[in-house]
Amino acid sequence: MTREKKLKVTIDSRELEVRPNTTILQAARESDVYIPSLCTLEHLPSYGACRLCIVEVDGLRGYPTSCTTPIEEGMVIRTDTTELRSLRQEILKLLLSEHPASCLFCEEHDECKEFQGTIRKVGVTTGCRYCPNDARCELQEITEKVGLTETSYPVYYRGFSVEKYDPFYDRDYNLCILCGRCVRVCNSVRLNGTLSFKQRGKLTTIGPAFDRTHLEAGCEFCGACVSVCPTGALSAKVSKWYGKPDTQVTTTCVYCPVGCRLELQVKNNEVIDVLPNYDSPIDRGLICVKGRFAIPEYVLSPERLGTPSRLTPVGYEVISWDQAIDEAAKRLRGTKPEDKLVMVSPQLSNEDLFVAQQFTREVLGSDAVISSMMIDLGDDLVPFLELVTSSSTFDTIEDARGVLAVGFDSTYGYSPVGIRIKKAGREGALLVTLGACDSNLDMLSETAFQMEPPQWAEFLGSLVDYLARGGKGKVKIRKEWTSDIERISRIFSDSSTNILVIGQEAIFSSGRREIFEKARTLRDKLGWKIIVAHPYTNLLGMLAMGAFPGAKPGEFLKNGDAVTVDLPVIDLAKRKKVVYLIGEGRFDTIPDCDYLIYQNGLPPVASRQPDLILPASLFTESSGTTTNGEGRVLKIEKATEPFMDAKPDWWIFNRIAEKLNKGKLKYKDVAAVQAAIKKQVKGFYGGRKPVEFARINAERATKWLRGAPKQEGQSSGAGNNPSYRGIPLARVVAGMKAIDEWVNTSLLSDKEAQ
Amino acid sequence: MPEPIRTILAKHSREPDELIPVLQDVQKEYGYISAESVRGISKYLRISENTIYGVSSFYAQFRFTEPGRHSVKVCLGTACHVRGGATLLEMLERGLGIHCGETTEDKRFGLDRVACLGCCALSPVVQIDKEIYSRVTVNKLTEQLKEYE
Ligand code: SF4
Ligand code: SF4
Ligand code: FES
């Protein structure tokens, strides 16, 4: 890169050198000159709506807005003259004439700010009914900076009714100043397009088409608009009355394998809100509804398990940890290895998974540490893992010239991947979608193919054959597809980088085995990149840590040879003596047993009552790491103390092992676990580069699963139902339930329409 | 997608710049822009339905409800405004139970506002279909409306 030549400019009589290709506002900021501004925001295109950022520039007529005026060599700029100051005050007054403003000019203002942390500063008659007053209001800040202490205009109340019918956030457009930040973030950053300005002049409002609700209009509930709103017009339902958070803790989301970085907002030892981190190279701050809105309600759920308890003939009895550990040890002692089964969730941390496998192997003397995820995949597990471990990084999408997405929709999940795909499409890459109904990528796709999932494999097969032969020779293709396949094949074969994205619907479709095979051909024969958008958060960590039958820690990592997965045959129809579930909440996949130990944060979704309940802490309550879908090892940071008497999973294993007098597990803390991992899994905490996995021999996929419950082809398991530690988010998070119901009804009406 | 929309779209390229011309054609064909049309345009031009609605609601020339059998246009030009046009409009909205830009449920009347009908001397003016009514009062107008079926 050639070094950009700096420009010489004068700002407020100071001679400065600034970067070229920026605006006056940006240049001023970078030189520590303050210019008031409201509508502009980093990451968003400039818009010039609020006009507070006006400046004087020699040779330019009038007062240009600095956020939209490019900086030029030799410019002489004044940012703080008497005229500018009075103009700004006037502009702000006009702006405030439509915004309830009593909190801004109140005489008690200063005292109030310091001593009176009330929710509502002023009477509801002033229109301040829904302002969250959470210290994020930029109007308050600007009014002070611009030095406005009173207003001479009467306030015009627009009298809109507050929109509270959508999940997760409320909208009080009486407080809106029409800065357009939300419209811009929704359209240019999220590439979603739910929001737009409607009407004009005095009647201007913001919202979706035809008075639709946000749910109907295709909103992702990503909350980006809420985060950028400089007023109290948009506010999160759950957190709005909490006021200002005490601290912020940076951590990683464990709801899916993207591994978005999150800023947990903590107050009084509770996670009250979650904000994105725009500096995160993984997700670029483009988090989805789950990370943004579905964490506080889950971790603070009134259903949380807080004390160990055991089932007695008259119900559950609360017991101490000592009693609980005794009880667990008593049941696990003496049973033969084949009578015991340990099941772990792929949403545990690397450290917990490592200790889980060590516990199973060294303490219980068994190799049977499995996961309901393995049962979801059944005999297609090995081909699936083969693809997952060779999945490409998300950044590859940015350079892709062709993207084919099968059964993928990123409305309510995987949005950092979905938005990258949309961006590629908008910047001219060929984007083709294959799905059963409309997907949120269709808007930017060149072609959106709609057909029933059983046909996807065939379609893909035809495309692969056609591509493999370079259009020569005879390929059997259904008549109705021929011209389309020929057309897109031509573009795909001209493109330097192509990516196949396999979405959850494809992973849970009946033809998945074939889809996986075609994907392998695309990757190995035609050099395509593959991204598998599966729901199992720390699946790669599970493999790396060896929390997997027949594979010790580190065996799956790259060190030369391909690995052959030799799965022991597991018979779910055979009754077990003890089943020990860690973070597994679905019981449709577990075998019958005499004694059931349930270690989790929330009660299970099942009729079978566990015999022993061990309350576990959640990812906001204990530290560790998780491995994302690209193989990056990311930090999970403890933000609050565990709920009541809940404990981290590794701690519980430790205690039971102690009781059983099996020496090895003597971890003092997570750091000790990590030290052990470092010894056994070389290079795991290596740094910024993703962990690399060995090639898995997919040809030798054995039939390993017996007696598995019949699955309904399609929507099995975690597929369409995001969950954390086996508990569907929709069960504990009201907004997720609303989304769930909406998705189901719209799917139904789509079907009826067809 | 209904046939006429398909034909209209086929006449335009898939560039976002085509939005306004497409909207104009649709409005000409149907007299209004329906939710279904917006959906069709959205898929074709790859612009979100919400953006299309936003853009088109900016222009007074587009409407989103089926026109009524009779169109009632209240002039809100300066002269008419001063002489009570706004009150007339409000009374009409209440009387017909619809907002400006909408159509009554029985499709009898569609209500709109116009900027100036060019006969300020006769203000306030209301136009019903092709007929211009001058110096209108609420009472006079209520009587007039009865004549339209
Ligand atoms: S939540 Fe996200 S998708 Fe929905 S309106 Fe706001 S920015 Fe747009
Ligand atoms: S995309 Fe995945 S990792 Fe990111 S916020 Fe959503 S669930 Fe969490
Ligand atoms: S910040 Fe420049 S006009 Fe609003």
Side-chain angles (χ1 to χ4, degrees), chain A residues 252-262 283 286-292 295 412-417:
Chain A
T252 306
C253 178
V254 298
Y255 282 171
C256 92
V258 175
C260 298
R261 300 292 283 161
L262 305 176
D283 56 275
L286 302 174
I287 64 176
C288 78
V289 56
K290 292 177 280 169
R292 178 69 167 84
I295 292 172
Y412 309 120
Y414 264 93
S415 45
V417 171

PDB file of all heavy atoms in Angstrom, chain A residues 252-262 283 286-292 295 412-417, ligand 2:
ATOM      1  N   THR A 252     -17.754 -14.203  24.678  1.00  0.00           N
ATOM      2  CA  THR A 252     -18.126 -14.817  23.414  1.00  0.00           C
ATOM      3  C   THR A 252     -19.496 -15.452  23.555  1.00  0.00           C
ATOM      4  O   THR A 252     -19.784 -16.096  24.562  1.00  0.00           O
ATOM      5  CB  THR A 252     -17.100 -15.911  23.035  1.00  0.00           C
ATOM      6  OG1 THR A 252     -15.803 -15.340  23.056  1.00  0.00           O
ATOM      7  CG2 THR A 252     -17.381 -16.478  21.659  1.00  0.00           C
ATOM      8  N   CYS A 253     -20.321 -15.283  22.544  1.00  0.00           N
ATOM      9  CA  CYS A 253     -21.647 -15.891  22.554  1.00  0.00           C
ATOM     10  C   CYS A 253     -21.513 -17.393  22.344  1.00  0.00           C
ATOM     11  O   CYS A 253     -20.757 -17.836  21.498  1.00  0.00           O
ATOM     12  CB  CYS A 253     -22.496 -15.281  21.448  1.00  0.00           C
ATOM     13  SG  CYS A 253     -24.138 -15.994  21.330  1.00  0.00           S
ATOM     14  N   VAL A 254     -22.265 -18.170  23.122  1.00  0.00           N
ATOM     15  CA  VAL A 254     -22.174 -19.627  22.948  1.00  0.00           C
ATOM     16  C   VAL A 254     -23.459 -20.202  22.369  1.00  0.00           C
ATOM     17  O   VAL A 254     -23.701 -21.395  22.438  1.00  0.00           O
ATOM     18  CB  VAL A 254     -21.861 -20.354  24.281  1.00  0.00           C
ATOM     19  CG1 VAL A 254     -20.525 -19.915  24.818  1.00  0.00           C
ATOM     20  CG2 VAL A 254     -22.960 -20.117  25.294  1.00  0.00           C
ATOM     21  N   TYR A 255     -24.277 -19.334  21.797  1.00  0.00           N
ATOM     22  CA  TYR A 255     -25.535 -19.829  21.246  1.00  0.00           C
ATOM     23  C   TYR A 255     -25.379 -20.488  19.875  1.00  0.00           C
ATOM     24  O   TYR A 255     -26.254 -21.210  19.430  1.00  0.00           O
ATOM     25  CB  TYR A 255     -26.552 -18.698  21.162  1.00  0.00           C
ATOM     26  CG  TYR A 255     -27.204 -18.341  22.499  1.00  0.00           C
ATOM     27  CD1 TYR A 255     -28.012 -17.213  22.608  1.00  0.00           C
ATOM     28  CD2 TYR A 255     -27.040 -19.138  23.629  1.00  0.00           C
ATOM     29  CE1 TYR A 255     -28.624 -16.879  23.820  1.00  0.00           C
ATOM     30  CE2 TYR A 255     -27.635 -18.817  24.825  1.00  0.00           C
ATOM     31  CZ  TYR A 255     -28.431 -17.688  24.926  1.00  0.00           C
ATOM     32  OH  TYR A 255     -29.041 -17.357  26.115  1.00  0.00           O
ATOM     33  N   CYS A 256     -24.317 -20.185  19.179  1.00  0.00           N
ATOM     34  CA  CYS A 256     -24.084 -20.891  17.905  1.00  0.00           C
ATOM     35  C   CYS A 256     -22.603 -20.836  17.570  1.00  0.00           C
ATOM     36  O   CYS A 256     -21.843 -20.133  18.209  1.00  0.00           O
ATOM     37  CB  CYS A 256     -24.956 -20.319  16.784  1.00  0.00           C
ATOM     38  SG  CYS A 256     -24.186 -19.002  15.829  1.00  0.00           S
ATOM     39  N   PRO A 257     -22.143 -21.570  16.550  1.00  0.00           N
ATOM     40  CA  PRO A 257     -20.706 -21.658  16.281  1.00  0.00           C
ATOM     41  C   PRO A 257     -20.077 -20.420  15.644  1.00  0.00           C
ATOM     42  O   PRO A 257     -18.890 -20.448  15.347  1.00  0.00           O
ATOM     43  CB  PRO A 257     -20.597 -22.845  15.321  1.00  0.00           C
ATOM     44  CG  PRO A 257     -21.895 -23.533  15.364  1.00  0.00           C
ATOM     45  CD  PRO A 257     -22.908 -22.515  15.730  1.00  0.00           C
ATOM     46  N   VAL A 258     -20.837 -19.368  15.395  1.00  0.00           N
ATOM     47  CA  VAL A 258     -20.194 -18.182  14.842  1.00  0.00           C
ATOM     48  C   VAL A 258     -19.221 -17.618  15.874  1.00  0.00           C
ATOM     49  O   VAL A 258     -18.090 -17.241  15.553  1.00  0.00           O
ATOM     50  CB  VAL A 258     -21.226 -17.114  14.422  1.00  0.00           C
ATOM     51  CG1 VAL A 258     -20.524 -15.849  13.962  1.00  0.00           C
ATOM     52  CG2 VAL A 258     -22.107 -17.646  13.300  1.00  0.00           C
ATOM     53  N   GLY A 259     -19.665 -17.597  17.125  1.00  0.00           N
ATOM     54  CA  GLY A 259     -18.767 -17.107  18.178  1.00  0.00           C
ATOM     55  C   GLY A 259     -18.626 -15.600  18.190  1.00  0.00           C
ATOM     56  O   GLY A 259     -17.519 -15.064  18.282  1.00  0.00           O
ATOM     57  N   CYS A 260     -19.749 -14.901  18.116  1.00  0.00           N
ATOM     58  CA  CYS A 260     -19.705 -13.439  18.135  1.00  0.00           C
ATOM     59  C   CYS A 260     -19.158 -12.946  19.466  1.00  0.00           C
ATOM     60  O   CYS A 260     -19.407 -13.526  20.506  1.00  0.00           O
ATOM     61  CB  CYS A 260     -21.096 -12.870  17.948  1.00  0.00           C
ATOM     62  SG  CYS A 260     -21.824 -13.289  16.385  1.00  0.00           S
ATOM     63  N   ARG A 261     -18.431 -11.853  19.384  1.00  0.00           N
ATOM     64  CA  ARG A 261     -17.953 -11.213  20.604  1.00  0.00           C
ATOM     65  C   ARG A 261     -19.068 -10.326  21.135  1.00  0.00           C
ATOM     66  O   ARG A 261     -19.702  -9.586  20.383  1.00  0.00           O
ATOM     67  CB  ARG A 261     -16.709 -10.378  20.291  1.00  0.00           C
ATOM     68  CG  ARG A 261     -15.585 -11.222  19.724  1.00  0.00           C
ATOM     69  CD  ARG A 261     -15.002 -12.182  20.740  1.00  0.00           C
ATOM     70  NE  ARG A 261     -14.114 -11.460  21.654  1.00  0.00           N
ATOM     71  CZ  ARG A 261     -13.742 -11.912  22.843  1.00  0.00           C
ATOM     72  NH1 ARG A 261     -14.195 -13.075  23.275  1.00  0.00           N
ATOM     73  NH2 ARG A 261     -12.933 -11.226  23.595  1.00  0.00           N
ATOM     74  N   LEU A 262     -19.322 -10.409  22.419  1.00  0.00           N
ATOM     75  CA  LEU A 262     -20.425  -9.665  23.012  1.00  0.00           C
ATOM     76  C   LEU A 262     -19.934  -8.774  24.148  1.00  0.00           C
ATOM     77  O   LEU A 262     -18.970  -9.106  24.826  1.00  0.00           O
ATOM     78  CB  LEU A 262     -21.459 -10.638  23.591  1.00  0.00           C
ATOM     79  CG  LEU A 262     -22.042 -11.691  22.671  1.00  0.00           C
ATOM     80  CD1 LEU A 262     -22.961 -12.613  23.457  1.00  0.00           C
ATOM     81  CD2 LEU A 262     -22.809 -11.042  21.531  1.00  0.00           C
ATOM     82  N   ASP A 283     -17.278 -11.255  13.857  1.00  0.00           N
ATOM     83  CA  ASP A 283     -18.657 -10.935  13.504  1.00  0.00           C
ATOM     84  C   ASP A 283     -18.851  -9.483  13.093  1.00  0.00           C
ATOM     85  O   ASP A 283     -19.923  -9.115  12.629  1.00  0.00           O
ATOM     86  CB  ASP A 283     -19.553 -11.235  14.708  1.00  0.00           C
ATOM     87  CG  ASP A 283     -19.089 -10.496  15.950  1.00  0.00           C
ATOM     88  OD1 ASP A 283     -18.194 -11.012  16.637  1.00  0.00           O
ATOM     89  OD2 ASP A 283     -19.582  -9.396  16.209  1.00  0.00           O
ATOM     90  N   LEU A 286     -22.018  -7.716  13.933  1.00  0.00           N
ATOM     91  CA  LEU A 286     -23.284  -8.023  13.251  1.00  0.00           C
ATOM     92  C   LEU A 286     -24.038  -9.156  13.945  1.00  0.00           C
ATOM     93  O   LEU A 286     -24.522 -10.078  13.306  1.00  0.00           O
ATOM     94  CB  LEU A 286     -22.986  -8.400  11.799  1.00  0.00           C
ATOM     95  CG  LEU A 286     -22.250  -7.319  11.008  1.00  0.00           C
ATOM     96  CD1 LEU A 286     -21.861  -7.840   9.631  1.00  0.00           C
ATOM     97  CD2 LEU A 286     -23.123  -6.089  10.869  1.00  0.00           C
ATOM     98  N   ILE A 287     -24.138  -9.108  15.245  1.00  0.00           N
ATOM     99  CA  ILE A 287     -24.720 -10.223  15.992  1.00  0.00           C
ATOM    100  C   ILE A 287     -26.211 -10.391  15.699  1.00  0.00           C
ATOM    101  O   ILE A 287     -26.865  -9.483  15.223  1.00  0.00           O
ATOM    102  CB  ILE A 287     -24.512 -10.059  17.515  1.00  0.00           C
ATOM    103  CG1 ILE A 287     -25.238  -8.820  18.040  1.00  0.00           C
ATOM    104  CG2 ILE A 287     -23.040  -9.991  17.838  1.00  0.00           C
ATOM    105  CD1 ILE A 287     -25.132  -8.670  19.546  1.00  0.00           C
ATOM    106  N   CYS A 288     -26.716 -11.562  16.026  1.00  0.00           N
ATOM    107  CA  CYS A 288     -28.107 -11.871  15.723  1.00  0.00           C
ATOM    108  C   CYS A 288     -28.970 -11.673  16.967  1.00  0.00           C
ATOM    109  O   CYS A 288     -28.481 -11.366  18.041  1.00  0.00           O
ATOM    110  CB  CYS A 288     -28.240 -13.308  15.204  1.00  0.00           C
ATOM    111  SG  CYS A 288     -28.186 -14.548  16.510  1.00  0.00           S
ATOM    112  N   VAL A 289     -30.246 -11.892  16.792  1.00  0.00           N
ATOM    113  CA  VAL A 289     -31.204 -11.673  17.877  1.00  0.00           C
ATOM    114  C   VAL A 289     -30.867 -12.463  19.137  1.00  0.00           C
ATOM    115  O   VAL A 289     -31.057 -12.000  20.262  1.00  0.00           O
ATOM    116  CB  VAL A 289     -32.638 -11.998  17.398  1.00  0.00           C
ATOM    117  CG1 VAL A 289     -32.739 -13.419  16.862  1.00  0.00           C
ATOM    118  CG2 VAL A 289     -33.650 -11.812  18.498  1.00  0.00           C
ATOM    119  N   LYS A 290     -30.283 -13.659  18.963  1.00  0.00           N
ATOM    120  CA  LYS A 290     -30.045 -14.496  20.140  1.00  0.00           C
ATOM    121  C   LYS A 290     -28.998 -13.880  21.050  1.00  0.00           C
ATOM    122  O   LYS A 290     -29.179 -13.791  22.258  1.00  0.00           O
ATOM    123  CB  LYS A 290     -29.604 -15.896  19.686  1.00  0.00           C
ATOM    124  CG  LYS A 290     -30.702 -16.656  18.992  1.00  0.00           C
ATOM    125  CD  LYS A 290     -30.212 -18.001  18.497  1.00  0.00           C
ATOM    126  CE  LYS A 290     -29.439 -17.872  17.205  1.00  0.00           C
ATOM    127  NZ  LYS A 290     -28.744 -19.110  16.843  1.00  0.00           N
ATOM    128  N   GLY A 291     -27.900 -13.456  20.448  1.00  0.00           N
ATOM    129  CA  GLY A 291     -26.855 -12.846  21.250  1.00  0.00           C
ATOM    130  C   GLY A 291     -27.291 -11.491  21.790  1.00  0.00           C
ATOM    131  O   GLY A 291     -26.997 -11.128  22.920  1.00  0.00           O
ATOM    132  N   ARG A 292     -28.018 -10.760  20.988  1.00  0.00           N
ATOM    133  CA  ARG A 292     -28.389  -9.402  21.372  1.00  0.00           C
ATOM    134  C   ARG A 292     -29.455  -9.390  22.463  1.00  0.00           C
ATOM    135  O   ARG A 292     -29.401  -8.620  23.402  1.00  0.00           O
ATOM    136  CB  ARG A 292     -28.899  -8.657  20.127  1.00  0.00           C
ATOM    137  CG  ARG A 292     -29.376  -7.229  20.357  1.00  0.00           C
ATOM    138  CD  ARG A 292     -28.209  -6.317  20.701  1.00  0.00           C
ATOM    139  NE  ARG A 292     -28.559  -4.912  20.638  1.00  0.00           N
ATOM    140  CZ  ARG A 292     -29.128  -4.239  21.631  1.00  0.00           C
ATOM    141  NH1 ARG A 292     -29.405  -4.858  22.752  1.00  0.00           N
ATOM    142  NH2 ARG A 292     -29.399  -2.962  21.504  1.00  0.00           N
ATOM    143  N   ILE A 295     -30.083 -13.358  25.955  1.00  0.00           N
ATOM    144  CA  ILE A 295     -29.226 -13.809  27.045  1.00  0.00           C
ATOM    145  C   ILE A 295     -29.764 -13.447  28.443  1.00  0.00           C
ATOM    146  O   ILE A 295     -29.922 -14.331  29.280  1.00  0.00           O
ATOM    147  CB  ILE A 295     -27.770 -13.351  26.832  1.00  0.00           C
ATOM    148  CG1 ILE A 295     -27.193 -14.097  25.621  1.00  0.00           C
ATOM    149  CG2 ILE A 295     -26.917 -13.627  28.075  1.00  0.00           C
ATOM    150  CD1 ILE A 295     -25.847 -13.630  25.166  1.00  0.00           C
ATOM    151  N   TYR A 412     -32.715 -15.109  11.836  1.00  0.00           N
ATOM    152  CA  TYR A 412     -32.630 -15.156  13.296  1.00  0.00           C
ATOM    153  C   TYR A 412     -31.399 -15.892  13.804  1.00  0.00           C
ATOM    154  O   TYR A 412     -31.383 -16.413  14.907  1.00  0.00           O
ATOM    155  CB  TYR A 412     -33.903 -15.787  13.875  1.00  0.00           C
ATOM    156  CG  TYR A 412     -35.184 -15.158  13.361  1.00  0.00           C
ATOM    157  CD1 TYR A 412     -36.123 -15.904  12.671  1.00  0.00           C
ATOM    158  CD2 TYR A 412     -35.441 -13.808  13.582  1.00  0.00           C
ATOM    159  CE1 TYR A 412     -37.301 -15.322  12.203  1.00  0.00           C
ATOM    160  CE2 TYR A 412     -36.597 -13.211  13.112  1.00  0.00           C
ATOM    161  CZ  TYR A 412     -37.525 -13.977  12.422  1.00  0.00           C
ATOM    162  OH  TYR A 412     -38.675 -13.404  11.958  1.00  0.00           O
ATOM    163  N   GLY A 413     -30.367 -15.979  13.021  1.00  0.00           N
ATOM    164  CA  GLY A 413     -29.153 -16.644  13.469  1.00  0.00           C
ATOM    165  C   GLY A 413     -28.123 -16.630  12.357  1.00  0.00           C
ATOM    166  O   GLY A 413     -28.470 -16.449  11.190  1.00  0.00           O
ATOM    167  N   TYR A 414     -26.857 -16.818  12.694  1.00  0.00           N
ATOM    168  CA  TYR A 414     -25.786 -16.828  11.701  1.00  0.00           C
ATOM    169  C   TYR A 414     -25.721 -15.534  10.899  1.00  0.00           C
ATOM    170  O   TYR A 414     -25.297 -15.524   9.749  1.00  0.00           O
ATOM    171  CB  TYR A 414     -25.937 -18.020  10.744  1.00  0.00           C
ATOM    172  CG  TYR A 414     -25.096 -19.203  11.154  1.00  0.00           C
ATOM    173  CD1 TYR A 414     -25.617 -20.217  11.956  1.00  0.00           C
ATOM    174  CD2 TYR A 414     -23.772 -19.293  10.759  1.00  0.00           C
ATOM    175  CE1 TYR A 414     -24.836 -21.294  12.360  1.00  0.00           C
ATOM    176  CE2 TYR A 414     -22.983 -20.360  11.147  1.00  0.00           C
ATOM    177  CZ  TYR A 414     -23.522 -21.357  11.942  1.00  0.00           C
ATOM    178  OH  TYR A 414     -22.739 -22.414  12.331  1.00  0.00           O
ATOM    179  N   SER A 415     -26.162 -14.430  11.510  1.00  0.00           N
ATOM    180  CA  SER A 415     -26.203 -13.213  10.710  1.00  0.00           C
ATOM    181  C   SER A 415     -24.828 -12.705  10.266  1.00  0.00           C
ATOM    182  O   SER A 415     -24.728 -12.159   9.177  1.00  0.00           O
ATOM    183  CB  SER A 415     -27.011 -12.121  11.402  1.00  0.00           C
ATOM    184  OG  SER A 415     -26.688 -12.016  12.746  1.00  0.00           O
ATOM    185  N   PRO A 416     -23.756 -12.884  11.040  1.00  0.00           N
ATOM    186  CA  PRO A 416     -22.465 -12.428  10.517  1.00  0.00           C
ATOM    187  C   PRO A 416     -22.098 -13.147   9.211  1.00  0.00           C
ATOM    188  O   PRO A 416     -21.444 -12.564   8.346  1.00  0.00           O
ATOM    189  CB  PRO A 416     -21.478 -12.786  11.631  1.00  0.00           C
ATOM    190  CG  PRO A 416     -22.303 -12.808  12.869  1.00  0.00           C
ATOM    191  CD  PRO A 416     -23.634 -13.354  12.439  1.00  0.00           C
ATOM    192  N   VAL A 417     -22.536 -14.387   9.068  1.00  0.00           N
ATOM    193  CA  VAL A 417     -22.290 -15.109   7.825  1.00  0.00           C
ATOM    194  C   VAL A 417     -23.275 -14.633   6.758  1.00  0.00           C
ATOM    195  O   VAL A 417     -22.897 -14.315   5.633  1.00  0.00           O
ATOM    196  CB  VAL A 417     -22.414 -16.636   8.057  1.00  0.00           C
ATOM    197  CG1 VAL A 417     -22.383 -17.395   6.749  1.00  0.00           C
ATOM    198  CG2 VAL A 417     -21.301 -17.105   8.978  1.00  0.00           C
TER     199      VAL A 417
HETATM  200  S1  SF4 C   2     -24.787 -15.355  15.305  1.00  0.00           S
HETATM  201 FE1  SF4 C   2     -24.412 -17.033  16.765  1.00  0.00          FE
HETATM  202  S2  SF4 C   2     -22.665 -16.398  17.973  1.00  0.00           S
HETATM  203 FE2  SF4 C   2     -23.490 -14.552  16.929  1.00  0.00          FE
HETATM  204  S3  SF4 C   2     -24.928 -13.633  18.397  1.00  0.00           S
HETATM  205 FE3  SF4 C   2     -26.110 -15.010  17.101  1.00  0.00          FE
HETATM  206  S4  SF4 C   2     -26.100 -16.988  18.212  1.00  0.00           S
HETATM  207 FE4  SF4 C   2     -24.497 -15.740  19.092  1.00  0.00          FE
END
